[in-house]
Amino acid sequence: MHNVLRTIKESQRTMAFLLDPEKTRIEDLIETFDHINNLRILIQTELSVEYFVLFVGGSTMINVDLDKWILAAKEIIKIPIVIFPGSHHQLTENADGLLFLNLISGDNPDYLIRQQRQAAAQLLRSQLEIVPTGYLLIDGGHESAVQRVSQTLPLSQHDADSIIHTAFAGQLMGNQLIYLEAGSGAITPVNPEIIKSVKNQLEIPLIVGGGLRSLQQLKSSYLAGADMLVIGTAIEQKINWN
Ligand SMILES: CC(C)=CCC/C(C)=C/CC/C(C)=C/CC/C(C)=C/COP(=O)(O)OP(=O)(O)O
Ligand SMILES: O=P(O)(O)OC[C@@H](O)CO
Ligand SMILES: [Mg+2]
């Protein structure tokens, strides 16, 4: 039995690799996980990251059999698989855990309660480790897929107070994780100064993602206080990290 949340809390530095089943076909999983494993060794060595998980999700999920995809992934990669859902349709018991996302940076009721209510109906008898997560969309320099799909505006990186207050409210609401999301392929990742000020107000772990594509960016985000960093686009593009 995995305990993803507990391990994040007990570790200094953790990392999630994000794959979107719309973009990585089952036939390509072996090659992709080969790439991920090499990156994992590099990041373990260079940055002393202790714990790795695979996030699976996308802002949309069209023409994908998620049950089948995750089953296939499980055969190949031996790290916990956590669903990072763009909607209540992205659920399967084949994963180990689920980020139960609350999009608290926006005020769209669909992403504050409707998606969650519809998911709950399916999760009544679930064996997944369900982790309530306050999800904040932060301006990363261009319109992100999450912004488009959720029809909510990101918080400006020039207004640190709004970000800090929203994150703190997320903790008070009972979320077990806070996720600062600059958006897939962000031009400007979340600024380390913002990470630091948010982290100072939190007792729960802080996840940061969006636009991370160099060891230097990873290092400064960890030093600022991120407990988990998420890498997606850089894996899809198989960039060279050295
Ligand atoms: C509780 C459940 C089951 C669902 C909650 C649904 C909510 C509130 C979602 C938050 C808003 C949202 C649309 C999040 C998407 C998160 C995600 C999987 C992002 C990764 O996708 P991207 O990489 O940004 O976009 P692409 O799919 O275009 O690559
Ligand atoms: O794709 P990238 O830019 O790495 O972002 C990762 C993740 O935070 C997006 O949801
Ligand atoms: Mg993406």
Side-chain angles (χ1 to χ4, degrees):
M1 173 74 189
H2 289 282
N3 199 324
V4 174
L5 179 61
R6 196 183 63 207
T7 315
I8 295 172
K9 284 183 176 165
E10 289 172 355
S11 310
Q12 282 294 326
R13 293 178 171 184
T14 69
M15 172 163 282
F17 300 114
L18 169 64
L19 287 184
D20 181 346
E22 261 185 359
K23 293 176 188 155
T24 306
R25 299 176 310 162
I26 289 180
E27 303 84 89
D28 299 328
L29 281 175
I30 292 181
E31 194 197 332
T32 304
F33 288 143
D34 216 39
H35 176 77
I36 287 179
N37 276 325
N38 290 332
L39 180 57
R40 184 168 129 189
I41 294 164
L42 176 77
I43 284 170
Q44 242 163 359
T45 319
E46 297 289 325
L47 299 167
S48 312
V49 173
E50 295 161 52
Y51 179 61
F52 296 87
V53 299
L54 182 72
F55 279 180
V56 179
S59 49
T60 57
M61 191 73 62
I62 297 158
N63 294 327
V64 174
D65 184 337
L66 191 63
D67 284 301
K68 199 172 152 198
W69 193 99
I70 291 190
L71 212 55
K74 233 177 174 171
E75 289 293 312
I76 311 169
I77 195 149
K78 300 297 170 203
I79 58 176
I81 299 182
V82 177
I83 304 169
F84 173 36
S87 84
H88 70 275
H89 296 292
Q90 297 177 30
L91 295 175
T92 164
E93 283 297 308
N94 292 340
D96 300 298
L98 165 70
L99 297 186
F100 197 82
L101 297 180
N102 306 300
L103 183 56
I104 55 175
S105 56
D107 53 10
N108 182 347
D110 200 19
Y111 290 86
L112 287 166
I113 185 59
R114 287 196 199 112
Q115 292 286 340
Q116 290 79 355
R117 186 168 53 222
Q118 280 169 301
Q122 296 173 59
L123 292 171
L124 285 171
R125 279 164 295 279
S126 174
Q127 298 296 308
L128 294 167
E129 180 186 346
I130 302 173
V131 187
T133 302
Y135 188 58
L136 281 69
L137 188 55
I138 312 287
D139 192 354
H142 65 50
E143 194 197 43
S144 65
V146 177
Q147 176 178 349
R148 204 170 52 243
V149 168
S150 70
Q151 293 289 302
T152 64
L153 290 174
L155 300 175
S156 164
Q157 300 215 34
H158 300 298
D159 187 0
D161 279 350
S162 281
I163 300 175
I164 296 163
H165 298 162
T166 307
F168 187 59
Q171 175 175 279
L172 292 174
M173 289 164 92
N175 287 294
Q176 295 298 310
L177 293 171
I178 294 293
Y179 188 149
L180 301 182
E181 168 72 272
S184 179
I187 300 164
T188 322
V190 182
N191 188 308
E193 284 302 317
I194 289 180
I195 297 176
K196 194 172 161 191
S197 346
V198 170
K199 179 63 187 173
N200 276 339
Q201 304 306 326
L202 292 184
E203 275 149 38
I204 54 177
L206 180 62
I207 305 182
V208 178
L212 297 170
R213 46 194 307 126
S214 77
L215 285 176
Q216 190 48 48
Q217 284 172 332
L218 299 181
K219 193 173 172 187
S220 50
S221 307
Y222 281 128
L223 286 174
D227 297 284
M228 173 175 271
L229 296 179
V230 186
I231 300 177
T233 305
I235 292 170
E236 284 164 12
Q237 297 177 348
K238 296 197 167 62
I239 67 159
N240 182 1
W241 287 82
N242 287 299

